[in-house]
Coordinates of all heavy atoms in Angstrom, one line a residue:
E1 N 89.9 94.0 103.0 CA 90.6 94.1 104.3 C 92.0 93.6 104.1 O 92.3 92.7 103.3 CB 89.8 93.2 105.3 CG 90.4 93.3 106.7 CD 89.6 92.4 107.7 OE1 88.4 92.0 107.4 OE2 90.1 92.2 108.8
V2 N 92.9 94.2 104.9 CA 94.3 93.8 104.7 C 94.8 93.1 106.0 O 94.5 93.5 107.1 CB 95.2 95.1 104.6 CG1 96.6 94.8 104.6 CG2 94.8 95.9 103.4
L3 N 95.4 91.9 105.7 CA 96.0 91.1 106.8 C 97.4 91.5 107.0 O 98.1 91.9 106.1 CB 95.9 89.6 106.5 CG 94.5 89.1 106.3 CD1 94.5 87.7 105.7 CD2 93.7 89.1 107.6
P4 N 98.0 91.4 108.2 CA 99.4 91.7 108.4 C 100.4 90.8 107.8 O 100.0 89.7 107.4 CB 99.5 91.6 110.0 CG 98.5 90.7 110.4 CD 97.3 90.8 109.4
S5 N 101.6 91.2 107.7 CA 102.7 90.4 107.1 C 103.2 89.5 108.2 O 104.2 89.8 108.9 CB 103.8 91.3 106.6 OG 103.4 92.0 105.5
G6 N 102.6 88.5 108.5 CA 103.0 87.5 109.5 C 102.4 86.2 109.2 O 101.5 86.0 108.5
G7 N 103.0 85.1 109.8 CA 102.6 83.8 109.6 C 103.2 83.1 108.5 O 103.9 83.7 107.6
D8 N 103.0 81.8 108.4 CA 103.7 81.0 107.4 C 103.3 81.3 105.9 O 104.2 81.1 105.1 CB 103.4 79.5 107.7 CG 104.2 79.0 108.9 OD1 105.2 79.7 109.2 OD2 103.8 78.0 109.4
P9 N 102.1 81.7 105.6 CA 101.8 81.9 104.2 C 102.5 83.2 103.6 O 102.4 83.3 102.4 CB 100.3 82.1 104.2 CG 99.9 82.5 105.5 CD 100.9 82.0 106.4
V10 N 103.1 84.0 104.4 CA 103.8 85.2 103.8 C 104.9 84.8 103.0 O 105.7 84.0 103.3 CB 104.2 86.1 105.0 CG1 104.9 87.3 104.5 CG2 103.0 86.5 105.8
T11 N 105.1 85.6 101.8 CA 106.2 85.4 101.0 C 107.0 86.7 100.9 O 106.5 87.7 101.4 CB 105.8 85.0 99.5 OG1 105.1 86.0 99.0 CG2 105.0 83.7 99.5
A12 N 108.1 86.7 100.3 CA 109.0 87.8 100.2 C 108.4 89.0 99.4 O 108.3 90.1 99.9 CB 110.4 87.5 99.6
K13 N 107.8 88.6 98.3 CA 107.4 89.7 97.4 C 106.0 89.5 96.8 O 105.5 90.4 96.1 CB 108.4 89.8 96.2 CG 109.8 90.1 96.6 CD 110.7 90.1 95.3 CE 112.1 90.4 95.7 NZ 113.0 90.3 94.6
I14 N 105.3 88.4 97.1 CA 104.0 88.1 96.5 C 102.9 88.3 97.5 O 103.0 87.7 98.6 CB 104.0 86.7 95.9 CG1 105.0 86.6 94.8 CG2 102.6 86.4 95.4 CD1 105.2 85.1 94.3
Y15 N 102.0 89.1 97.2 CA 100.8 89.3 98.1 C 99.9 88.2 97.9 O 99.8 87.6 96.8 CB 100.1 90.7 97.7 CG 101.0 91.9 98.0 CD1 102.0 92.2 97.1 CD2 100.7 92.7 99.1 CE1 102.8 93.3 97.4 CE2 101.5 93.8 99.3 CZ 102.5 94.1 98.5 OH 103.3 95.2 98.7
K16 N 99.2 87.8 98.9 CA 98.3 86.6 98.8 C 96.9 87.0 99.2 O 96.7 87.9 100.1 CB 98.7 85.5 99.7 CG 100.0 84.9 99.3 CD 100.3 83.6 100.0 CE 101.5 82.9 99.4 NZ 101.6 81.6 99.9
I17 N 95.9 86.4 98.6 CA 94.5 86.6 98.9 C 94.0 85.4 99.8 O 94.2 84.2 99.4 CB 93.6 86.6 97.6 CG1 94.1 87.7 96.7 CG2 92.1 86.8 98.0 CD1 94.0 89.1 97.2
E18 N 93.5 85.7 100.9 CA 93.0 84.7 101.9 C 91.6 85.1 102.3 O 91.4 86.2 102.9 CB 93.9 84.6 103.1 CG 95.3 84.2 102.8 CD 96.1 84.2 104.1 OE1 95.6 84.0 105.2 OE2 97.3 84.5 104.0
D19 N 90.6 84.3 102.0 CA 89.2 84.6 102.4 C 88.8 86.1 102.0 O 88.2 86.8 102.8 CB 89.0 84.4 103.9 CG 89.3 83.0 104.3 OD1 88.9 82.1 103.6 OD2 89.9 82.8 105.4
N20 N 89.1 86.4 100.8 CA 88.8 87.8 100.2 C 89.5 88.9 101.0 O 89.0 90.0 101.0 CB 87.3 88.0 100.2 CG 86.6 87.1 99.2 OD1 87.2 86.8 98.1 ND2 85.4 86.6 99.5
K21 N 90.6 88.6 101.6 CA 91.4 89.6 102.3 C 92.8 89.5 101.7 O 93.2 88.4 101.2 CB 91.5 89.3 103.8 CG 90.1 89.4 104.4 CD 90.2 89.0 105.9 CE 88.8 88.8 106.4 NZ 88.8 88.2 107.7
I22 N 93.6 90.5 101.7 CA 94.9 90.5 101.1 C 96.0 90.4 102.3 O 95.9 91.1 103.3 CB 95.2 91.7 100.2 CG1 96.6 91.5 99.5 CG2 95.2 93.0 101.0 CD1 96.8 92.5 98.4
R23 N 96.9 89.4 102.1 CA 98.0 89.3 103.1 C 99.2 89.9 102.5 O 99.6 89.6 101.4 CB 98.3 87.8 103.4 CG 99.5 87.7 104.3 CD 99.6 86.8 105.4 NE 98.4 86.2 105.9 CZ 98.0 86.4 107.2 NH1 98.6 87.3 108.0 NH2 96.9 85.7 107.6
L24 N 99.8 90.9 103.2 CA 100.9 91.7 102.6 C 102.2 90.8 102.6 O 102.4 90.0 103.5 CB 101.1 92.9 103.5 CG 100.0 93.9 103.6 CD1 100.3 95.0 104.5 CD2 99.6 94.4 102.2
A25 N 103.0 91.1 101.6 CA 104.3 90.4 101.5 C 105.3 91.1 102.5 O 105.1 92.2 102.9 CB 104.8 90.5 100.1
F26 N 106.4 90.4 102.8 CA 107.4 90.9 103.6 C 107.9 92.3 103.1 O 108.2 93.2 103.9 CB 108.6 90.0 103.8 CG 108.3 88.8 104.6 CD1 108.7 87.5 104.1 CD2 107.7 88.8 105.8 CE1 108.5 86.4 104.9 CE2 107.5 87.7 106.6 CZ 107.9 86.5 106.1
I27 N 108.1 92.4 101.8 CA 108.6 93.6 101.2 C 107.8 94.8 101.5 O 108.2 96.0 101.4 CB 108.9 93.4 99.7 CG1 109.9 94.5 99.3 CG2 107.6 93.5 98.9 CD1 110.6 94.2 98.0
S28 N 106.5 94.6 101.9 CA 105.6 95.8 102.2 C 105.9 96.4 103.5 O 105.4 97.5 103.8 CB 104.2 95.3 102.1 OG 103.9 94.5 103.2
I29 N 106.7 95.8 104.3 CA 107.1 96.3 105.6 C 108.1 97.4 105.5 O 109.1 97.3 104.8 CB 107.6 95.2 106.5 CG1 106.6 94.1 106.7 CG2 108.1 95.7 107.9 CD1 107.1 92.8 107.4
N30 N 107.7 98.5 106.1 CA 108.6 99.7 106.1 C 110.0 99.4 106.5 O 110.2 98.9 107.6 CB 108.0 100.8 106.9 CG 108.6 102.2 106.7 OD1 109.2 102.4 105.6 ND2 108.6 103.0 107.7
G31 N 111.0 99.7 105.7 CA 112.4 99.5 106.1 C 112.9 98.1 105.6 O 114.1 97.9 105.8
M32 N 112.0 97.3 105.1 CA 112.5 95.9 104.6 C 112.7 96.0 103.1 O 111.7 96.1 102.4 CB 111.6 94.8 105.0 CG 112.1 93.5 104.6 SD 111.1 92.1 105.2 CE 111.6 92.1 106.9
G33 N 113.9 95.8 102.7 CA 114.2 95.8 101.2 C 114.0 94.4 100.6 O 113.7 93.4 101.3
A34 N 114.2 94.3 99.4 CA 114.1 93.1 98.6 C 115.0 92.0 99.2 O 114.6 90.8 99.4 CB 114.3 93.3 97.1
N35 N 116.2 92.3 99.4 CA 117.2 91.3 99.9 C 116.8 90.7 101.3 O 116.8 89.5 101.5 CB 118.6 91.9 100.0 CG 119.2 92.1 98.6 OD1 118.8 91.5 97.6 ND2 120.2 93.0 98.6
A36 N 116.4 91.6 102.2 CA 116.0 91.2 103.5 C 114.7 90.3 103.4 O 114.5 89.3 104.1 CB 115.8 92.4 104.4
S37 N 113.8 90.7 102.5 CA 112.5 90.0 102.4 C 112.8 88.5 101.9 O 112.3 87.6 102.4 CB 111.6 90.7 101.3 OG 111.3 91.9 101.8
V38 N 113.7 88.4 100.9 CA 114.0 87.1 100.4 C 114.8 86.3 101.4 O 114.5 85.1 101.6 CB 114.8 87.2 99.1 CG1 115.4 85.9 98.6 CG2 114.0 87.8 98.0
A39 N 115.7 86.9 102.1 CA 116.5 86.2 103.2 C 115.6 85.7 104.3 O 115.7 84.6 104.8 CB 117.5 87.2 103.8
L40 N 114.6 86.5 104.6 CA 113.6 86.1 105.7 C 112.8 84.9 105.2 O 112.6 83.9 105.9 CB 112.7 87.2 106.1 CG 111.8 87.0 107.3 CD1 112.6 86.7 108.5 CD2 111.0 88.3 107.5
Q41 N 112.3 84.9 104.0 CA 111.5 83.8 103.4 C 112.4 82.5 103.4 O 112.0 81.4 103.7 CB 111.0 84.1 102.1 CG 110.2 83.0 101.5 CD 109.6 83.3 100.1 OE1 109.4 84.4 99.8 NE2 109.2 82.2 99.4
N42 N 113.7 82.7 102.9 CA 114.6 81.5 102.8 C 114.9 80.9 104.1 O 115.0 79.7 104.3 CB 115.9 82.0 102.1 CG 115.7 82.2 100.6 OD1 114.7 81.8 100.0 ND2 116.6 82.9 100.0
A43 N 115.1 81.8 105.2 CA 115.3 81.3 106.5 C 114.1 80.5 107.1 O 114.3 79.5 107.7 CB 115.7 82.4 107.4
R44 N 112.9 81.0 106.8 CA 111.7 80.3 107.2 C 111.6 79.0 106.6 O 111.2 78.0 107.2 CB 110.5 81.2 106.9 CG 109.2 80.6 107.5 CD 108.0 81.1 106.8 NE 108.0 80.8 105.4 CZ 107.4 81.6 104.5 NH1 106.7 82.6 104.9 NH2 107.4 81.3 103.2
D45 N 112.1 78.8 105.3 CA 111.9 77.6 104.6 C 113.2 76.8 104.5 O 113.3 75.9 103.7 CB 111.5 78.0 103.1 CG 110.2 78.7 103.1 OD1 109.4 78.6 104.0 OD2 109.9 79.4 102.1
D46 N 114.2 77.0 105.4 CA 115.5 76.4 105.3 C 115.5 75.0 105.9 O 116.6 74.3 105.8 CB 116.5 77.3 106.0 CG 116.3 77.4 107.5 OD1 115.4 76.7 108.1 OD2 117.1 78.2 108.1
G47 N 114.5 74.5 106.4 CA 114.5 73.1 106.9 C 114.9 73.0 108.4 O 114.9 71.9 108.9
E48 N 115.2 74.1 109.0 CA 115.6 74.0 110.4 C 114.4 74.1 111.3 O 114.6 74.0 112.5 CB 116.6 75.2 110.7 CG 118.0 75.1 110.2 CD 118.9 76.1 110.7 OE1 118.8 76.4 112.0 OE2 119.7 76.6 110.0
G49 N 113.3 74.1 110.8 CA 112.1 74.2 111.6 C 111.6 75.6 112.0 O 112.2 76.5 111.4
S50 N 110.7 75.7 112.8 CA 110.2 77.0 113.2 C 111.2 77.8 114.0 O 112.1 77.3 114.6 CB 108.9 76.8 114.2 OG 107.9 76.1 113.5
F51 N 111.1 79.1 113.9 CA 112.0 80.0 114.6 C 111.7 79.8 116.1 O 110.6 79.7 116.5 CB 111.7 81.5 114.2 CG 112.1 81.8 112.8 CD1 111.2 82.2 111.9 CD2 113.4 81.7 112.4 CE1 111.5 82.6 110.6 CE2 113.8 82.0 111.1 CZ 112.9 82.4 110.2
T52 N 112.8 79.8 116.9 CA 112.6 79.6 118.3 C 112.7 80.9 119.1 O 112.3 81.0 120.3 CB 113.7 78.7 118.8 OG1 115.0 79.2 118.5 CG2 113.6 77.3 118.2
S53 N 113.2 82.0 118.5 CA 113.3 83.3 119.2 C 113.6 84.4 118.1 O 113.9 84.1 117.0 CB 114.4 83.3 120.2 OG 115.7 83.2 119.5
I54 N 113.5 85.6 118.5 CA 113.8 86.7 117.7 C 115.3 86.7 117.3 O 115.6 86.9 116.1 CB 113.4 88.1 118.3 CG1 111.8 88.1 118.4 CG2 113.9 89.2 117.5 CD1 111.3 89.3 119.2
D55 N 116.1 86.3 118.2 CA 117.5 86.2 117.9 C 117.8 85.1 116.9 O 118.6 85.2 116.0 CB 118.3 85.8 119.2 CG 118.5 87.0 120.1 OD1 118.2 88.2 119.7 OD2 118.9 86.8 121.3
D56 N 117.0 84.0 116.9 CA 117.1 82.9 115.9 C 116.7 83.5 114.5 O 117.3 83.1 113.5 CB 116.2 81.8 116.3 CG 116.3 80.6 115.4 OD1 117.4 80.2 115.0 OD2 115.2 79.9 115.1
V57 N 115.6 84.3 114.5 CA 115.2 84.9 113.2 C 116.4 85.7 112.6 O 116.7 85.6 111.4 CB 114.0 85.8 113.4 CG1 113.7 86.6 112.1 CG2 112.8 85.0 113.8
I58 N 117.0 86.5 113.4 CA 118.1 87.4 113.0 C 119.3 86.5 112.5 O 119.9 86.8 111.5 CB 118.5 88.4 114.1 CG1 117.4 89.4 114.4 CG2 119.8 89.1 113.8 CD1 117.6 90.2 115.6
R59 N 119.6 85.5 113.3 CA 120.8 84.6 113.0 C 120.6 83.9 111.7 O 121.4 83.9 110.8 CB 121.0 83.6 114.1 CG 122.1 82.6 113.9 CD 122.2 81.6 114.9 NE 121.1 80.7 115.0 CZ 120.8 79.7 114.1 NH1 121.6 79.4 113.2 NH2 119.7 78.9 114.3
R60 N 119.4 83.3 111.5 CA 119.1 82.5 110.3 C 118.9 83.3 109.1 O 119.2 82.9 108.0 CB 118.0 81.5 110.6 CG 118.4 80.4 111.5 CD 117.2 79.6 112.0 NE 116.3 79.1 111.0 CZ 115.1 78.5 111.3 NH1 114.7 78.4 112.5 NH2 114.3 78.1 110.3
S61 N 118.3 84.5 109.2 CA 118.0 85.3 108.0 C 119.0 86.3 107.7 O 119.1 86.8 106.5 CB 116.6 85.9 108.2 OG 116.7 86.9 109.2
G62 N 119.7 86.8 108.7 CA 120.7 87.8 108.5 C 120.1 89.2 108.5 O 120.7 90.2 108.1
I63 N 118.8 89.3 108.8 CA 118.1 90.7 108.8 C 118.7 91.4 110.0 O 119.2 90.9 111.0 CB 116.6 90.6 108.9 CG1 116.1 89.9 110.2 CG2 116.0 89.9 107.7 CD1 114.6 90.0 110.5
S64 N 118.6 92.7 110.0 CA 119.1 93.6 111.1 C 118.1 93.5 112.2 O 116.9 93.2 112.1 CB 119.2 95.0 110.6 OG 118.0 95.6 110.3
S65 N 118.6 93.9 113.4 CA 117.7 94.0 114.6 C 116.6 95.1 114.4 O 115.5 94.9 114.9 CB 118.5 94.3 115.8 OG 119.2 95.5 115.7
T66 N 116.9 96.1 113.6 CA 115.9 97.1 113.3 C 114.7 96.5 112.5 O 113.6 96.8 112.8 CB 116.5 98.3 112.5 OG1 117.6 98.8 113.2 CG2 115.5 99.4 112.2
V67 N 115.0 95.7 111.5 CA 114.0 95.0 110.7 C 113.2 94.1 111.6 O 112.0 94.0 111.6 CB 114.6 94.3 109.5 CG1 113.5 93.4 108.8 CG2 115.1 95.3 108.5
A68 N 113.9 93.3 112.5 CA 113.3 92.4 113.4 C 112.4 93.1 114.3 O 111.3 92.7 114.6 CB 114.3 91.6 114.2
D69 N 112.8 94.3 114.8 CA 111.9 95.1 115.7 C 110.7 95.6 115.0 O 109.6 95.5 115.5 CB 112.7 96.4 116.2 CG 113.8 96.0 117.2 OD1 113.7 94.9 117.8 OD2 114.6 96.9 117.5
A70 N 110.8 95.9 113.7 CA 109.6 96.3 112.9 C 108.7 95.1 112.7 O 107.4 95.3 112.9 CB 110.1 96.8 111.5
L71 N 109.2 94.0 112.5 CA 108.4 92.8 112.3 C 107.7 92.5 113.7 O 106.5 92.1 113.7 CB 109.2 91.6 112.0 CG 109.7 91.5 110.5 CD1 110.8 90.4 110.4 CD2 108.6 91.2 109.6
D72 N 108.4 92.6 114.8 CA 107.8 92.4 116.1 C 106.7 93.4 116.4 O 105.6 93.0 116.9 CB 108.9 92.4 117.1 CG 108.5 91.9 118.5 OD1 107.6 90.9 118.5 OD2 109.0 92.3 119.5
E73 N 106.9 94.6 116.1 CA 105.9 95.7 116.3 C 104.6 95.4 115.5 O 103.5 95.7 115.9 CB 106.4 97.1 115.9 CG 107.4 97.6 117.0 CD 108.0 98.9 116.6 OE1 107.4 99.6 115.7 OE2 109.1 99.2 117.1
L74 N 104.8 94.8 114.3 CA 103.6 94.5 113.5 C 102.9 93.2 113.9 O 101.9 92.8 113.4 CB 104.0 94.4 112.0 CG 104.5 95.7 111.4 CD1 105.1 95.4 110.0 CD2 103.3 96.6 111.2
G75 N 103.5 92.5 114.9 CA 102.9 91.2 115.3 C 103.4 90.0 114.6 O 102.9 88.9 114.8
A76 N 104.3 90.2 113.6 CA 104.7 89.0 112.8 C 105.6 88.1 113.6 O 105.8 86.9 113.2 CB 105.5 89.5 111.6
L77 N 106.2 88.5 114.7 CA 107.0 87.7 115.6 C 106.4 87.4 116.9 O 107.0 87.0 117.9 CB 108.4 88.3 115.7 CG 109.2 88.6 114.5 CD1 110.5 89.2 114.8 CD2 109.3 87.4 113.6
S78 N 105.1 87.6 117.0 CA 104.4 87.5 118.3 C 104.5 86.1 118.8 O 104.5 85.1 118.0 CB 102.9 87.9 118.1 OG 102.3 87.0 117.2
G79 N 104.7 85.9 120.0 CA 104.9 84.6 120.7 C 106.3 84.2 120.7 O 106.6 83.2 121.4
L80 N 107.2 84.8 120.0 CA 108.6 84.5 120.1 C 109.3 85.2 121.2 O 109.2 86.5 121.3 CB 109.3 84.7 118.8 CG 109.0 83.9 117.6 CD1 109.8 84.3 116.4 CD2 109.3 82.4 117.9
P81 N 110.1 84.5 122.1 CA 110.9 85.3 123.1 C 112.0 86.0 122.4 O 112.4 85.7 121.2 CB 111.4 84.2 124.0 CG 111.4 82.9 123.1 CD 110.3 83.1 122.1
K82 N 112.6 87.0 123.0 CA 113.7 87.7 122.5 C 114.9 86.8 122.2 O 115.6 86.9 121.2 CB 114.1 88.8 123.4 CG 115.4 89.6 123.1 CD 115.3 90.4 121.8 CE 116.6 91.2 121.6 NZ 117.1 91.1 120.3
S83 N 115.2 85.9 123.1 CA 116.4 85.1 123.1 C 116.0 83.6 123.4 O 115.0 83.3 124.1 CB 117.4 85.6 124.1 OG 118.5 84.7 124.3
D84 N 116.9 82.7 123.1 CA 116.8 81.3 123.4 C 117.3 81.0 124.8 O 117.2 79.9 125.3 CB 117.5 80.4 122.4 CG 116.7 80.3 121.1 OD1 115.5 80.3 121.1 OD2 117.4 80.3 120.1
Q85 N 118.0 82.0 125.4 CA 118.6 81.8 126.7 C 117.6 81.8 127.8 O 116.6 82.6 127.7 CB 119.7 82.9 127.0 CG 120.9 82.9 126.0 CD 121.9 83.9 126.4 OE1 121.6 84.9 127.1 NE2 123.0 83.8 125.8
M86 N 117.8 80.9 128.7 CA 116.8 80.8 129.8 C 117.3 81.8 130.9 O 118.5 82.0 131.2 CB 116.8 79.4 130.4 CG 116.3 78.4 129.5 SD 116.4 76.7 130.2 CE 115.3 76.9 131.5
S87 N 116.3 82.4 131.5 CA 116.6 83.3 132.6 C 116.4 82.6 133.9 O 115.4 81.9 134.2 CB 115.6 84.5 132.6 OG 115.8 85.3 133.8
L88 N 117.4 82.7 134.8 CA 117.3 82.0 136.1 C 116.7 82.9 137.2 O 116.6 82.5 138.3 CB 118.7 81.5 136.5 CG 119.3 80.5 135.5 CD1 120.7 80.1 136.0 CD2 118.5 79.2 135.4
F89 N 116.5 84.1 136.8 CA 116.0 85.0 137.8 C 114.6 85.6 137.5 O 114.2 85.8 136.5 CB 117.0 86.2 138.0 CG 118.3 85.7 138.4 CD1 119.3 85.6 137.5 CD2 118.6 85.4 139.7 CE1 120.6 85.2 137.8 CE2 119.9 84.9 140.1 CZ 120.9 84.8 139.1

């Protein structure tokens, strides 16, 4: 069984085995190259804490909004709001 590329155990290029299932690396995501994969892993591990929004992921990692959209569609960014800005309406 294949697990999605999402969550903290994901790495840029190394696939992981969890409970006899394989967790895909960031690089396995369609449209994500090696540089974006490494940048995303580095941003996750940069010491600034958890990502607070999709915009925060883009800002800290430097990935494109297209790659962020692909991650979101796969569920890797589930639970994150689009922006850190509060809506008053």
